Amino acid sequence: MYSSSPADAPLVREPLHAPVAHLIRGGVVEGIHYGSVVVLGADGQVQFQLGDIEAAFYPRSALKPVQAVAMLRAGLPLDGELLSLAAASHSGEERHLAGTRRILELAGRTEADLRNVPDMPYDPVVRDAWVREGRPPSRLAQNCSGKHAAMLWTAAINGWSLADYLDPAHPLQQAVAEIVEDLTGQRVAQVTVDGCGAPLFSISLHGLARAAARITTAVQGTPEARVADAMREHAEMASGSGRDVAALMRAVPGLLAKDGFEGVQVAALPDGRAIAVKIADGADRARVPVAAAALARAGVDPDLLTEFAGAPLLGGGEPVGCVRPVRALDPVSLTACV
């Protein structure tokens, strides 16, 4: 199913995105979201594609499960909810802060050792509470702090330097790059800096889906299976209360799902069926219904996906339309627009 040696890096070019969702208001197409979608079958072959699935792009936080696998392979001794947190884009709830403190404590480190950027909690309700209380941005509250704490511990375990653990030339980041290429099956096209300050590796949308399938089909006890189990069993620790990605994992048995900024979504089932989505304009309002339609294309029971069909478009406080995946992706339509 998968080659043992990575293929060439995807081409860096302007992606040839296609329409993936229509914004319908009162029966008229008011707007169009462009993007790309890939659906893999259990045999690893492309069952459906729309747009450009082979151009280089940045998967953003959708790559975190792969980064977590790399850290486990490098000796990180985490499982359960703390491993889920190491692969998280968390909401900044107290359980996320407490979990990150616990990882730092196990590593013999403190918040001062983190090199991610200080930020307010991602969850708007939690963030508003911080503002009312006059609490400043912190590295602990930033949504990638669990990953950074785990990176610090991985570096410490291996005797690697800590102050520069985010340098792309650091042994930790070199190890991550190696696993990215291993699981995606392709060379990294470009390396830049993600929003949190960690190196970000450019791959293809096809490669991202392939990596998710490799993780969910791995033998029990392997680093890949440990990451999948942790994220599925502790979905709220990998995201947060009320987050759509956690709800998606709860709704679809065995599903591993991870979102990323700028409209990225990846998900895979235990048998290797997988989907990956990139919304060109980064809109979450299109990411969720397009991902749901892609999962239906992959064979997931549409009845399990109805709550992810997208929020209604309002006019005067009443539903007047919706964001609906294009017919090429969703011929039956999970969404019934007004």
Side-chain angles (χ1 to χ4, degrees), residues 2-327:
Y2 301 105
S3 172
S4 59
S5 59
D8 291 341
L11 292 178
V12 177
R13 66 184 184 215
E14 181 178 345
L16 303 174
H17 291 308
V20 294
H22 289 151
L23 174 65
I24 309 291
R25 181 186 291 269
V28 173
V29 176
E30 185 177 35
I32 301 174
H33 290 288
Y34 283 72
S36 297
V37 180
V38 60
V39 177
L40 301 184
D43 60 357
Q45 299 301 306
V46 175
Q47 300 298 307
F48 176 84
Q49 66 181 92
L50 189 61
D52 193 342
I53 68 171
E54 303 296 354
F57 91 119
Y58 288 118
R60 304 300 299 268
S61 287
L63 200 63
K64 282 178 177 172
V66 178
Q67 292 170 310
V69 169
M71 288 188 278
L72 291 185
R73 288 197 191 181
L76 180 68
L78 282 180
D79 281 295
E81 65 177 11
L82 293 185
L83 177 53
S84 184
L85 182 59
S89 300
H90 66 70
S91 292
E93 300 165 32
E94 185 51 44
R95 61 177 152 186
H96 301 127
L97 276 60
T100 302
R101 290 190 193 99
R102 179 58 180 156
I103 296 173
L104 288 169
E105 178 185 321
L106 291 167
R109 301 292 138 191
T110 69
E111 182 179 352
D113 294 304
L114 295 172
R115 292 293 179 266
N116 58 322
V117 294
D119 202 357
M120 300 294 281
Y122 179 74
D123 183 270
V125 175
V126 180
R127 184 172 60 246
D128 288 349
W130 274 51
V131 171
R132 287 195 301 271
E133 296 164 10
R135 300 173 69 176
S138 79
R139 298 184 192 277
L140 207 63
Q142 197 270 336
N143 76 90
C144 303
S145 64
K147 178 182 76 175
H148 282 255
M151 284 183 169
L152 273 171
W153 196 7
T154 305
I157 287 169
N158 285 278
W160 297 329
S161 57
L162 302 183
D164 62 341
Y165 74 90
L166 295 183
D167 188 327
H170 191 280
L172 169 65
Q173 303 304 338
Q174 290 294 300
V176 171
E178 180 181 340
I179 304 309
V180 169
E181 294 187 339
D182 178 26
L183 294 183
T184 62
Q186 60 191 177
R187 302 290 182 192
V188 169
Q190 296 273 28
V191 181
T192 188
V193 182
D194 209 340
C196 65
L200 178 61
F201 305 98
S202 180
I203 54 173
S204 71
L205 195 67
H206 188 181
L208 179 64
R210 199 158 41 219
R214 292 282 299 276
I215 290 172
T216 57
T217 57
V219 175
Q220 279 299 306
T222 60
E224 292 89 337
R226 287 165 60 191
V227 169
D229 289 345
M231 293 182 69
R232 289 183 295 217
E233 292 169 15
H234 305 279
E236 284 79 11
M237 192 62 96
S239 53
S241 302
R243 294 273 292 278
D244 58 76
V245 69
L248 192 59
M249 285 193 276
R250 289 194 303 267
V252 181
L255 186 73
L256 173 69
K258 184 69 186 76
D259 54 347
F261 280 160
E262 298 303 327
V264 182
Q265 180 74 58
V266 67
L269 291 154
D271 64 1
R273 287 175 290 159
I275 66 102
V277 170
K278 164 65 180 174
I279 305 301
D281 61 7
D284 267 357
R285 72 178 183 183
R287 172 184 60 83
V288 178
V290 168
L295 284 168
R297 272 273 183 180
V300 174
D301 183 351
D303 289 341
L304 301 176
L305 300 167
T306 53
E307 69 175 292
F308 308 102
L313 184 68
L314 302 181
E318 298 296 326
V320 294
C322 66
V323 176
R324 185 174 64 197
V326 296
R327 295 298 185 188

